[in-house]
Amino acid sequence: MSVNIPSNSVPSSGSRFQVHVINEGHGSGAAVSDSADPPHYEETSFGDEAQNRLRISFRPGNQECYDNFLQTGETAKTDTTFHAYDSHTNTYYLQTFGHNTMDAVPKIEYYRNTGSVSGPKVNRPSLLEIHEQLAKNVTVAPGSADRVANGDGMPGDEQAENKEEDTAGVVKFGWVKGVLVRCMLNIWGVMLFIRLSWIVGEAGIGLGVLIILLSTMVTSITGLSTSAIATNGFVRGGGAYYLISRSLGPEFGGSIGLIFAFANAVAVAMYVVGFAETVVDLLKESDSMMVDPTNDIRIIGSITVVILLGISVAGMEWEAKAQVILLVILLIAIANFFIGTVIPSNNEKKSRGFFNYQASIFAENFGPSFTKGEGFFSVFAIFFPAATGILAGANISGDLEDPQDAIPRGTMLAIFITTVAYIGVAICVAACVVRDATGSMNDTIVSGMNCNGSAACGLGYDFSRCQHEECQYGLMNNFQVMSMVSGFGPLITAGIFSATLSSALASLVSAPKVFQALCKDNIFKGLQFFAKGYGKNNEPLRGYFLTFVIAMAFILIAELNVIAPIISNFFLASYALINFSCFHASYAKSPGWRPAYGIYNMWVSLFGAILCCAVMFVINWWAAVITYVIELFLYIYVTYKKPDVNWGSSTQALSYVSALDNALELTTVEDHVKNFRPQCIVLTGGPMTRPALLDITHAFTKNSGLCICCEVFVGPRKLCVKEMNSGMAKKQAWLIKNKIKAFYAAVAADCFRDGVRSLLQASGLGRMKPNTLVIGYKKNWRKTPLSELENYVGILHDAFDFEIGVVIVRISQGFDISPVLQVQDELEKLEQERLALEAAIKDNECEEGKGGIRGLLKKAGKLNISKPAPKKDGNISTIQSMHVGEFNQKLVEASAQFKKKQGKGTIDVWWLFDDGGLTLLIPYILTLRKKWKDCKLRIYVGGKINRIEEEKISMASLLSKFRIKFADIHIIGDINIKPNKESWKVFEEMIEPYRLHESHKDLTTAEKLKRESPWKITDTELEAVKEKSYRQVRLNELLQEHSRAANLIVLSLPVARKGSISDLLYMVWLEILTKNLPPVLLVRGNHKNVLTFYS
């Protein structure tokens, strides 16, 4: 059996917040659908079918209390006026479900991290608190039980303070101001105004556009990977470093974090040098040079970076205002250029090579014309830094209101807009300006002169002397071409100032922010000094001054073409790891990898990572080697130091499912909620005896979790061990043959419960330890000996004691197909005997006489093999029965029901109590499987009838934060009303044989009965838990009403408190709760988070 995980196996986002209100109007519970009645699920068994078959048809619950409330308009009392077991008043059912129990309903506060800025962290009641018997001497303060039940904390926690950060006065940005504006400004940097004309002059229009598109391909793939990682939970400050470190772990994150912060610091120098070059060109024109061009660049650059530092230190709010002003100037300058291209050129501009749009110029400039020492990749290396601004918004992720929404939207839109602008400017300038021009208006063509055939010659100018001497104008020679072409030259100069200063400012902010996040994680102990922040926005002032020092050092180089390739390699290394992070997280297939941004592909991300690495070497091989050496050194250093951090990285997830060689290394890694997966001990006995139980478990463990099929051999130790060892290899081989990714384990024990207890404690290896017990429902509990029943319920208690989740699976036909296997074994033996006899007849045919052969045939007749036995098929469902009493076809069909592809239908999740999320995670994983992908999730939760809207909005918000899509949300507001009389009568008839009825006897007789039958249900116990009994019966009514047509029901498992609930009463609860329903999974996690909305 092969299961593929489809990329789109959940309902579309269009139906994500479709919710249904249950019992909101009069009679709303009367019908579920107008379609044909759903199938009736009846109980059958292998033997005594007529006696055991019981058919019950439930009708909707009694609406008397609800009708009375609607007719009288009585106002509901507050929760504090209810008695804990007031089930007879009209307003009892208006209580919040879970109000009168320690069990807490699902709430978002349980899933927050401690110290979360978005809200307080609340601890749900532990499994121990709701499973163990309540201490009689515990005094509960008034209202504390209500607060605990509703998830407001534990008793005695009133004084506990949540150490939340003071958010008053903190500046937060939206996706436009925080990401789009910053990315556009950072991308539209130096290259747009003072290098793009040179690039298109060297490479031509064709290769120039190709250079732009190649750069865009790298940045777009990286943008998609960044968006996927950024939407896989909350993103904190640190930008690219945070995304890489949380995906690949501290080793990669720490090494690239330093490089990325350093690259941003050097980028400040690059943009400031570009600004200074423009100023120096203006000084040249006015003959106002201070010293010489190189030193003037250094002087102007130093002054500029000091001013930018002052703006940055003033705070993010001032910096953001400056960015908006600079963007307006930049947009006006770009528009000014396009307007200038259509304004008729004058003689002065023509002498400098500008002739407006000319087809001859376009054709001449379409091909490349590389000068000495230049080539495609060298020109690409100069241009590529223009595309590196895509992370400008992500780098200030800690200052964004909603990074998950802002980063994908702002980054991808910025890439698109800037790419269109770059291509537009490149084509326009190359269609208007020739490559070389003298600038002399006397170089016009007069009659009789020979024309060299260039576009300028055709337009009346002879620039042929530029082939022999250096000219000052044209695309190849003049970096201020855009100023000449524009309608108003000073606006282009203002645009250059705006582009360079905004990019420098963005990098000056990004570098300290990234570096501060790196230092806060304390990966490099010596850098802890720079982790300190100041003010409401936690500004990294120390990081600003360090960035200033680095920028000043590179400004002294004063050569833009030297700085650009260094920046290219550093940023490409960062982009490569971002892409690899996305690929690695996808490849690990962790249930915690659920990015809300679905427009990505793991293989495209891998291609992007490889492309980045290749481009690094093409641009500058020795710079790439140096980059990798530095990165490798830092990686080894961090690995050696082993920082004490745990971010649930995809490296951990992949290691978890790797070979045994990595198991020992894995023991040093702490578990993380993002990488949680159900790891199951399945009590199948021999794996072939309960295939349906194994199939449903394998459906949510295959390729994602551990699955151990367990068998307990009870009896004399020596015989048990011998039998166990002889069948070990055969049963594991059966799993492999049937393509079931599971292990087989067996123990010998004195009793079944002791064996399971041993398995729960000792199974697994390293971190591959079971966290969930899967067991089939004990269908024959009424006929089984009392000791077996005690063992069965005791196993559940043991699992809870060991803090292991429990899944009880029930199907109408039961799981055990041992009788079918016995028939199969008999058929195999008969077939073997028949073949042996035929071989013996053939061997003795010549030697034996007629009588000898007749004797062999008589022997064959005694074995009833006069007709060939049916040929065995690998699928059990094809076995033909020999006798009606030997084979149950329905049982065989039921055992294969989870092997089939489930058609379009629903998985109904009744998430009644918050167990950490296991009740929700298992059906989510099922929807990823090929056989279950057509099934949609319907979520049912309990709620208050007068808070339906608030409850459904709250649950929809919680599910959206988990990135778990759903078809419907149903709020059940009438769980707490009493069941109807017919249902309750069935419960009483079911429990009657096991009651003690001691209240009707005198004291002496009652005590005697208790001693003689301590296992029976006392009247005292039954009265004490009467409300819980009501609940189980009422829940079955609701399940019959809403979920009878579901493909699968996932339901919160009620917990029997030790010492308070007898084994028989608990089994009656489970029986009445799940009777006459589709396949049911009763799930109870260990009350520790298995879901998170953090990255």
Side-chain angles (χ1 to χ4, degrees):
M1 179 177 63
S2 177
V3 179
N4 298 323
I5 302 179
S7 60
N8 186 16
S9 57
V10 290
S12 63
S13 58
S15 62
R16 186 172 182 177
F17 293 97
Q18 180 183 354
V19 294
H20 292 271
V21 180
I22 304 302
N23 288 342
E24 191 174 31
H26 179 63
S28 62
V32 179
S33 173
D34 294 333
S35 61
D37 290 336
H40 181 79
Y41 289 84
E42 62 180 6
E43 301 287 344
T44 61
S45 63
F46 181 77
D48 298 329
E49 294 181 4
Q51 297 179 11
N52 291 334
R53 187 176 295 121
L54 177 61
R55 302 185 180 183
I56 300 176
S57 179
F58 292 107
R59 62 175 191 259
N62 191 348
Q63 299 289 320
E64 181 180 350
C65 295
Y66 184 54
D67 295 345
N68 189 25
F69 175 78
L70 290 174
Q71 293 166 7
T72 61
E74 180 179 344
T75 304
K77 293 182 277 186
T78 61
D79 286 345
T80 55
T81 64
F82 287 116
H83 187 272
Y85 297 104
D86 180 13
S87 61
H88 302 286
T89 62
N90 291 344
T91 53
Y92 169 76
Y93 67 96
L94 292 180
Q95 297 181 50
T96 301
F97 177 63
H99 181 81
N100 57 341
T101 175
M102 287 285 288
D103 253 340
V105 296
K107 292 182 67 175
I108 190 173
E109 286 78 8
Y110 298 136
Y111 300 89
R112 298 191 188 279
N113 283 344
T114 303
S116 170
V117 178
S118 55
K121 161 72 174 177
V122 177
N123 294 323
R124 71 177 63 82
S126 68
L127 187 60
L128 184 67
E129 290 165 344
I130 68 168
H131 183 226
E132 290 290 340
Q133 186 175 10
L134 285 173
K136 296 182 179 180
N137 58 349
V138 174
T139 302
V140 181
S144 64
D146 297 345
R147 186 169 54 83
V148 170
N150 288 281
D152 298 327
M154 294 304 301
D157 284 348
E158 290 87 348
Q159 304 302 324
E161 296 182 0
N162 192 306
K163 297 181 180 180
E164 291 289 303
E165 296 178 22
D166 184 10
T167 59
V170 176
V171 179
K172 295 289 184 180
F173 303 110
W175 74 274
V176 175
K177 197 172 182 180
V179 181
L180 180 63
V181 170
R182 292 175 184 277
C183 288
M184 290 173 62
L185 284 171
N186 216 23
I187 295 173
W188 281 334
V190 178
M191 304 303 170
L192 179 62
F193 294 107
I194 65 176
R195 281 293 185 273
L196 189 57
S197 59
W198 175 84
I199 288 170
V200 76
E202 288 281 345
I205 296 174
L207 292 182
V209 172
L210 184 62
I211 287 173
I212 296 172
L213 292 178
L214 181 59
S215 301
T216 301
M217 181 195 300
V218 175
T219 56
S220 296
I221 294 174
T222 306
L224 293 175
S225 299
T226 302
S227 300
I229 300 173
T231 57
N232 191 50
F234 286 168
V235 178
R236 302 190 186 278
Y241 158 72
Y242 184 89
L243 300 178
I244 295 172
S245 62
R246 268 52 177 183
S247 294
L248 292 179
E251 295 83 5
F252 281 105
S255 59
I256 202 62
L258 273 181
I259 293 176
F260 189 76
F262 182 75
N264 274 281
V266 177
V268 176
M270 184 187 74
Y271 295 125
V272 169
V273 168
F275 168 78
E277 280 188 358
T278 306
V279 176
V280 169
D281 287 342
L282 294 176
L283 293 177
K284 283 182 181 179
E285 293 179 3
S286 61
D287 197 24
S288 302
M289 298 291 294
M290 291 179 286
V291 184
D292 56 68
T294 300
N295 286 313
D296 282 4
I297 289 174
R298 291 169 179 163
I299 295 170
I300 296 170
S302 300
I303 296 172
T304 303
V305 79
V306 171
I307 296 173
L308 294 178
L309 177 66
I311 296 175
S312 300
V313 171
M316 289 294 295
E317 190 172 9
W318 285 95
E319 187 264 354
K321 292 178 180 177
Q323 294 280 30
V324 173
I325 295 173
L326 292 173
L327 178 62
V328 173
I329 297 173
L330 185 60
L331 292 175
I332 293 174
I334 294 174
N336 176 52
F337 163 77
F338 286 108
I339 293 172
T341 59
V342 297
I343 296 176
S345 177
N346 54 36
N347 291 333
E348 181 182 2
K349 290 186 176 181
K350 287 181 179 179
S351 68
R352 296 182 179 183
F354 174 54
F355 296 92
N356 296 112
Y357 292 103
Q358 300 292 336
S360 58
I361 296 177
F362 181 91
E364 184 179 82
N365 290 341
F366 189 84
S369 179
F370 295 112
T371 56
K372 186 178 180 180
E374 299 294 344
F376 177 84
F377 291 107
S378 64
V379 175
F380 174 81
I382 298 300
F383 175 80
F384 186 80
T388 57
I390 63 168
L391 297 179
N395 288 339
I396 62 162
S397 54
D399 298 304
L400 300 176
E401 288 180 354
D402 185 7
Q404 289 181 291
D405 177 69
I407 292 175
R409 186 185 300 184
T411 302
M412 299 310 296
L413 184 58
I415 292 174
F416 175 78
I417 293 174
T418 54
T419 300
V420 171
Y422 271 127
I423 294 176
V425 170
I427 294 175
C428 289
V429 74
C432 296
V433 183
V434 296
R435 283 191 167 102
D436 297 293
T438 60
S440 173
M441 289 185 288
N442 295 324
D443 288 336
T444 56
I445 296 176
V446 296
S447 59
M449 290 182 62
N450 292 325
C451 186
N452 59 7
S454 66
C457 284
L459 296 171
Y461 281 81
D462 180 19
F463 299 143
S464 58
R465 62 189 175 98
C466 291
Q467 297 176 3
H468 310 291
E469 62 184 55
E470 185 176 350
C471 293
Q472 300 297 318
Y473 298 98
L475 295 176
M476 308 279 281
N477 309 303
N478 183 14
F479 289 154
Q480 306 300 326
V481 165
M482 291 190 66
S483 296
M484 177 190 67
V485 173
S486 65
F488 183 62
L491 277 180
I492 294 296
T493 303
I496 295 172
F497 291 167
S498 172
T500 52
L501 293 178
S502 63
S503 298
L505 191 58
S507 296
L508 186 57
V509 170
S510 297
K513 294 282 187 181
V514 173
F515 192 63
Q516 183 188 35
L518 173 66
C519 297
K520 276 185 175 181
D521 289 335
N522 202 23
I523 294 176
F524 300 97
K525 304 292 183 183
L527 301 179
Q528 188 66 23
F529 173 80
F530 295 98
K532 183 175 176 58
Y534 298 84
K536 293 289 185 181
N537 271 67
N538 197 31
E539 294 291 345
L541 298 184
R542 297 174 179 178
Y544 282 132
F545 286 104
L546 179 62
T547 305
F548 168 78
V549 172
I550 296 173
M552 283 293 293
F554 278 84
I555 286 172
L556 296 179
I557 298 176
E559 285 293 332
L560 189 60
N561 288 4
V562 176
I563 298 175
I566 300 174
I567 297 295
S568 299
N569 276 280
F570 284 167
F571 279 105
L572 277 167
S574 304
Y575 290 179
L577 277 183
I578 289 176
N579 286 311
F580 186 74
S581 299
C582 183
F583 164 77
H584 199 270
S586 303
Y587 186 74
K589 298 178 181 177
S590 170
W593 174 250
R594 301 187 299 275
Y597 190 84
I599 310 175
Y600 76 98
N601 181 275
M602 58 184 288
W603 301 112
V604 172
S605 296
L606 179 61
F607 171 76
I610 296 173
L611 182 62
C612 290
C613 295
V615 171
M616 286 178 66
F617 282 93
V618 169
I619 289 177
N620 194 313
W621 69 268
W622 58 264
V625 170
I626 292 175
T627 302
Y628 279 114
V629 168
I630 295 173
E631 186 176 334
L632 180 62
F633 171 79
L634 294 174
Y635 178 89
I636 295 173
Y637 174 83
V638 176
T639 304
Y640 176 76
K641 288 296 183 180
K642 291 183 175 62
D644 186 22
V645 294
N646 179 29
W647 296 322
S649 66
S650 59
T651 303
Q652 296 175 19
L654 194 60
S655 297
Y656 198 87
V657 293
S658 65
L660 185 61
D661 293 338
N662 294 325
L664 184 60
E665 181 183 352
L666 196 63
T667 58
T668 62
V669 181
E670 292 293 329
D671 290 328
H672 193 280
V673 61
K674 277 169 52 179
N675 293 329
F676 175 87
R677 59 196 70 224
Q679 305 192 92
C680 301
I681 280 185
V682 195
L683 299 183
T684 58
M688 62 284 292
T689 60
R690 292 175 176 82
L693 182 61
L694 181 55
D695 288 339
I696 188 62
T697 307
H698 190 243
F700 60 82
T701 60
K702 182 180 181 181
N703 294 330
S704 63
L706 180 69
C707 181
I708 306 177
C709 302
C710 296
E711 186 172 9
V712 178
F713 291 86
V714 180
R717 178 69 57 87
K718 187 175 181 179
L719 294 177
C720 288
V721 171
K722 182 178 180 180
E723 182 182 358
M724 180 177 67
N725 292 338
S726 64
M728 190 80 69
K730 178 183 177 182
K731 291 167 183 175
Q732 184 65 54
W734 184 89
L735 292 171
I736 297 173
K737 180 181 178 181
N738 288 271
K739 298 181 180 180
I740 296 175
K741 296 186 177 181
F743 299 96
Y744 172 75
V747 295
D750 295 332
C751 71
F752 184 65
R753 182 178 180 182
D754 288 343
V756 175
R757 188 185 291 123
S758 299
L759 289 166
L760 291 174
Q761 296 179 85
S763 296
L765 179 66
R767 294 292 172 189
M768 292 186 289
K769 298 283 290 184
N771 54 35
T772 307
L773 171 67
V774 181
I775 186 171
Y777 179 71
K778 194 168 185 64
K779 189 168 176 288
N780 62 341
W781 64 271
R782 302 186 205 190
K783 298 181 179 180
T784 192
L786 185 61
S787 59
E788 290 188 18
L789 183 62
E790 183 180 351
N791 280 337
Y792 182 84
V793 179
I795 289 169
L796 305 182
H797 288 303
D798 293 338
F800 291 141
D801 288 340
F802 297 142
E803 294 190 336
I804 292 177
V806 173
V807 178
I808 300 177
V809 187
R810 181 174 187 178
I811 60 177
S812 59
Q813 305 294 331
F815 292 104
D816 191 2
I817 62 168
S818 297
V820 177
L821 296 179
Q822 290 175 4
V823 172
Q824 180 182 3
D825 289 340
E826 290 179 5
L827 292 174
E828 289 178 351
K829 290 178 180 179
L830 291 174
E831 177 69 8
Q832 290 173 0
E833 291 184 11
R834 186 184 66 82
L835 293 175
L837 285 173
E838 287 180 352
I841 292 172
K842 187 176 181 180
D843 292 340
N844 293 297
E845 190 173 14
C846 298
E847 300 177 6
E848 298 290 334
K850 190 175 180 179
I853 295 175
R854 188 179 294 113
L856 288 174
L857 291 175
K858 285 183 179 179
K859 184 178 180 180
K862 293 180 180 179
L863 291 171
N864 192 23
I865 56 172
S866 55
K867 292 193 296 182
K871 202 170 185 179
K872 179 190 171 186
D873 188 51
N875 193 338
I876 298 176
S877 63
T878 63
I879 301 174
Q880 300 298 321
S881 60
M882 296 177 64
H883 302 283
V884 175
E886 292 178 345
F887 184 70
N888 188 329
Q889 186 64 28
K890 289 184 178 180
L891 181 60
V892 174
E893 292 174 355
S895 70
Q897 62 180 301
F898 298 124
K899 294 181 183 294
K900 305 173 184 176
K901 180 176 175 61
Q902 305 294 316
K904 290 185 178 180
T906 63
I907 298 177
D908 288 0
V909 182
W910 290 71
W911 197 14
L912 304 178
F913 299 112
D914 196 324
D915 60 350
L918 186 65
T919 307
L920 188 61
L921 181 62
I922 287 178
Y924 163 75
I925 297 176
L926 283 175
T927 59
L928 301 179
R929 306 310 190 195
K930 185 177 181 180
K931 290 182 173 61
W932 294 88
K933 68 176 183 178
D934 294 331
C935 293
K936 299 180 179 180
L937 292 184
R938 293 194 302 185
I939 311 299
Y940 292 81
V941 292
K944 207 189 274 189
I945 194 67
N946 58 356
R947 295 187 73 250
I948 291 293
E949 289 299 323
E950 293 86 345
E951 295 283 357
K952 68 181 180 182
I953 292 173
S954 175
M955 180 54 60
S957 175
L958 176 60
L959 294 174
S960 66
K961 289 180 182 296
F962 285 148
R963 290 96 61 201
I964 292 179
K965 295 183 180 180
F966 53 89
D968 303 292
I969 292 180
H970 297 264
I971 307 299
I972 307 298
D974 57 351
I975 294 180
N976 283 332
I977 67 172
K978 292 177 64 175
N980 61 42
K981 294 180 180 180
E982 291 84 355
S983 301
W984 186 249
K985 183 178 180 181
V986 172
F987 174 80
E988 290 181 330
E989 291 175 351
M990 188 182 299
I991 205 172
E992 181 61 31
Y994 315 110
R995 293 188 61 179
L996 195 63
H997 290 295
E998 82 283 1
S999 60
H1000 303 293
K1001 309 290 191 303
D1002 58 81
L1003 185 59
T1004 304
T1005 305
E1007 291 298 327
K1008 181 180 179 181
L1009 289 174
K1010 289 180 181 179
R1011 288 194 302 270
E1012 293 176 350
S1013 304
W1015 48 272
K1016 283 197 172 183
I1017 304 170
T1018 64
D1019 294 341
T1020 304
E1021 176 191 0
L1022 199 58
E1023 184 63 29
V1025 295
K1026 189 173 185 179
E1027 292 303 321
K1028 291 187 176 181
S1029 299
Y1030 280 155
R1031 185 189 304 155
Q1032 314 311 322
V1033 179
R1034 177 57 184 155
L1035 280 173
N1036 184 264
E1037 292 178 349
L1038 294 170
L1039 288 163
Q1040 295 283 348
E1041 179 181 349
H1042 299 291
S1043 298
R1044 278 186 63 198
N1047 294 55
L1048 181 69
I1049 298 174
V1050 182
L1051 175 65
S1052 293
L1053 171 68
V1055 176
R1057 193 179 294 275
K1058 287 194 299 186
S1060 300
I1061 308 298
S1062 62
D1063 297 342
L1064 280 167
L1065 178 58
Y1066 187 58
M1067 291 306 300
V1068 172
W1069 280 358
L1070 298 184
E1071 177 71 27
I1072 198 67
L1073 179 62
T1074 60
K1075 193 171 185 60
N1076 294 338
L1077 291 172
V1080 178
L1081 267 64
L1082 292 164
V1083 182
R1084 173 68 69 156
N1086 64 358
H1087 284 236
K1088 295 180 181 178
N1089 285 354
V1090 302
L1091 293 173
T1092 182
F1093 45 80
Y1094 293 99
S1095 61

